[in-house]
Structure formats: C-alpha cells, structure tokens
Amino acid sequence: MKKLLPILFSFLGILTFSQQVESLTTILSDKISIRALELYDGKVWYSGTDSKFGFVDLKNPQNQKQIKLSEEKLQFRTLAQDKDSLYVVNIESPAYFFKIDKKNLNHQLVFTDRSKAAFYDAFHFVNEKLAFAFSDTDDNRLKLTMYKNGKWSFFENEIKLNPGEAAFAASNTNIASTKNYLWIATGGKASRILRLTFKNEKFEVFDTPFIQGESSQGMYSIDFVNDKFGVVVGGDYTKQDANINNIATTNDGGETWQIQASGKNTGYTTCVKIKPNSKGKEIISVGDQHISYSSDFGKTWKKISDEKGFFVCKWVDGNRVVLAGKDKISLMKLKF
C-alpha cells in the first residue's frame, strides 16, 4: 500500500490540474492599453487609452470596429453595460461618463464629475436599473457615483477610508455583486472589504489579512459566485514576483478571509474570474507576467501560461477566456 500511495497522489495531482492551454490567439493588435472588457452579441467590447472604444467579433475577428469617444486623449479603464448600452468613464479629472448605443455606436455624455480628485477605478452594473462607479476621493470618504432608475447621483454613505487607502484601476474588477450585496476591494496603506447590503443600503467594513501597508500593495480584483463564496487577488505591482498574502477566499460573504497559497503561487495578478457553473471551484487569474489557474476553490494555483502583458480577463464559456492588456486582445481556449 505504501508503494501505491505516491502513485495515487501523483494521479490525483494530474486530475487536479488537468487543464492546459490548447490555443492562445491574438484577435486585436493596436497601440492601446486595455483594462476593461464586456461581452455582448458574440463580441468582446473594450475601452482603452486615447479615448478608444470598440469591439471584436469572437467568431470572425476580422469583423471589428473602433471609434474615439472624444477628441481629447482620455484614458478609459472602466466599462459596464445594461441591455441596450455600454458605459465608460475616464480616469483623471474631469471624469466624463459616456453612454454608447450597442446597435449603432452613437454615444453621448451623460454625467460629469469635476472634482479635482476624480479618478474612477471601476464601473459595475448590478442590474438593468442600478450601477456604481468607484472613484478616488480628496476627503477620505468613500466616493461612489450611482446610476439608479435612469438618474445619476453620488451615493450618500458614512464610510471613511483609512489614510492611504484607495483602489487600483487595474482591470475594472475591484467591484463585484450578487442580488443582495455589492463588494468593493480596497488597497494601498489598508486593504479592506466594503460590503453594501441592498436591502437596507448600509455598508459594513471588514479587515483582511491581505498584503497591505504600501501604496502599491493590496487587493486588485474580486469575484463572487454567490452571497457566500468569493475570491480576491493582487499583491504588489512594484514586486511582481512576491507571492505572500496575495490571494484570499471567503465563505461567509466577505466578513472573514482566508489566505491561500501564500508563498506557493506565481505572484502579482490584476484580475480574477470564477468559471461559470463551477460554483467557485475553478478560477482563472491574470497578471502582467503570467496566467494562473485554480481547480480547488483557490487553495492551490498553477501557472498555465508565461504570456505577458495581460491585465484583464473574462470567461466566454466553459473553456474559452478572452484576455486583454498592452496592445492586444487574445482568445484563449483551454483543454480539460
């Protein structure tokens, strides 16, 4: 029996990490930095630098279109959608909120934030009638622009951020939601979870054991599969090989977090996405230097690609992932 155990464990290890990259195909090449993606009508939609916005057809990548939303060289790091339109807001002040019609790409300016500290890190639709955009602030208060029932406003709250606590506009994914909750992951001098309960419109704040304390450290991306299970990733963009306390999961809706694979993962990542219909078991994470995968609820991770320059990812279906970053959008097919 003792001789069989190593063979058995080896076999189980193969089953645990049986996924492989079957193909990784570039479907858009351009002089652009892309940190936000959405999927609609068989196309991947993107926003990026130099006011660029567009789409690429996933089945026929030659079917693609790009427009500029402004004559100014705005940097877009956000993208969100409802049934009929897509929305973007640029980083830096003044922050312009654009609405783009999905059918004809006609666009209009729908809201402007002229505060000096405006710097929007993420934009997220909870449902067709409710969306939130998260911005840096000049008074240590949590700043959220809210779209509710067709109207734009600033969401009133009493949450105060710690000195040096902010967020990273790295992949438009430091906000996640379910029907009942919205979660925001902060970073920097403090890296905490802010949870909004929709029923009473109240925020709760939870400390985390995530790496924090420096402006470059903390949680960069968050994803939830239901009201209970979620995952966060990040690290330190100035020390991308560092892999201590840079991945965590929760089983109680973000109230407590368990560090996973500390010292045993491939380092800093900027976007994490749970595979559809996997109930949180299978997760992909991308960063500037690699693509990693977990098939055991984030407990262990395997680097599946050394491809560099990706900042954001999104599942297309059960075995395809679209990725974007520096000068490209790519479609990855996984083999299980």
Side-chain angles (χ1 to χ4, degrees), residues 116-186:
K116 292 182 180 180
F119 193 106
Y120 280 84
D121 304 292
F123 197 172
H124 175 80
F125 266 81
V126 176
N127 54 50
E128 290 293 309
K129 297 182 178 181
L130 181 64
F132 293 93
F134 177 32
S135 171
D136 292 356
T137 179
D138 55 4
D139 60 1
N140 285 338
R141 292 186 180 183
L142 172 64
K143 182 177 180 179
L144 289 175
T145 296
M146 179 175 65
Y147 172 82
K148 187 174 183 179
N149 296 325
K151 297 181 179 180
W152 298 87
S153 64
F154 295 110
F155 182 74
E156 294 185 8
N157 66 88
E158 302 297 325
I159 299 299
K160 286 191 175 182
L161 302 179
N162 291 325
E165 181 180 12
F168 301 105
S171 62
N172 193 48
T173 56
N174 53 29
I175 298 179
S177 71
T178 59
K179 183 179 179 180
N180 296 310
Y181 298 107
L182 177 88
W183 295 268
I184 298 172
T186 67

Side-chain angles (χ1 to χ4, degrees), residues 4-16:
L4 290 175
L5 284 175
I7 298 173
L8 177 61
F9 289 140
S10 176
F11 177 68
L12 289 174
I14 292 171
L15 287 178
T16 300

